[in-house]
Amino acid sequence: MVEAEEEVLVQMIAPDLRAFAAHKLWVSKRVDREPVKRRSDLAQAKAVVRLTACNFDHLPYEANAIRLFPKAVFEDAKAYSCFDLEPVQVPYLH
């Protein structure tokens, strides 16, 4: 639930952040994708993984948590934890 105008609560449906990050990580590795988009996809995946890993303990990056993606995708996502303090830079898209 999110608060809208005048303190009215409305339901907002959003994708699981882990699924978004896993998808972005997957497309960032596709060789048929434009290099600029691949870099942007990887940066977005890293940022969302860090966000969820550092702030949402109830959303673990484990293959059994979401069976929509192969286990290897989530193993890759685990590499970008909140303890990796290297700044994430999202390339500007024209």
Side-chain angles (χ1 to χ4, degrees):
M1 301 298 276
V2 294
E3 187 175 338
E5 293 181 26
E6 300 178 17
E7 300 181 15
V8 175
L9 295 179
V10 296
Q11 184 176 7
M12 184 172 115
I13 299 171
D16 188 311
L17 293 172
R18 297 167 298 176
F20 176 82
H23 171 73
K24 285 295 189 173
L25 186 59
W26 176 72
V27 296
S28 76
K29 294 180 178 185
R30 292 184 54 109
V31 294
D32 61 340
R33 192 151 170 82
E34 293 177 34
V36 172
K37 288 184 178 181
R38 289 176 62 193
R39 287 190 300 273
S40 178
D41 292 332
L42 180 58
Q44 290 172 7
K46 286 180 178 182
V48 172
V49 168
R50 289 179 187 158
L51 171 75
T52 53
C54 296
N55 299 296
F56 300 104
D57 294 337
H58 65 287
L59 297 175
Y61 277 88
E62 297 173 0
N64 63 354
I66 296 183
R67 293 179 178 88
L68 182 64
F69 294 97
K71 182 178 180 180
V73 172
F74 280 96
E75 293 302 317
D76 286 348
K78 280 182 169 180
Y80 306 109
S81 71
C82 64
F83 301 108
D84 179 8
L85 299 178
E86 179 184 327
V88 175
Q89 296 180 358
V90 179
Y92 177 74
L93 296 177
H94 299 278

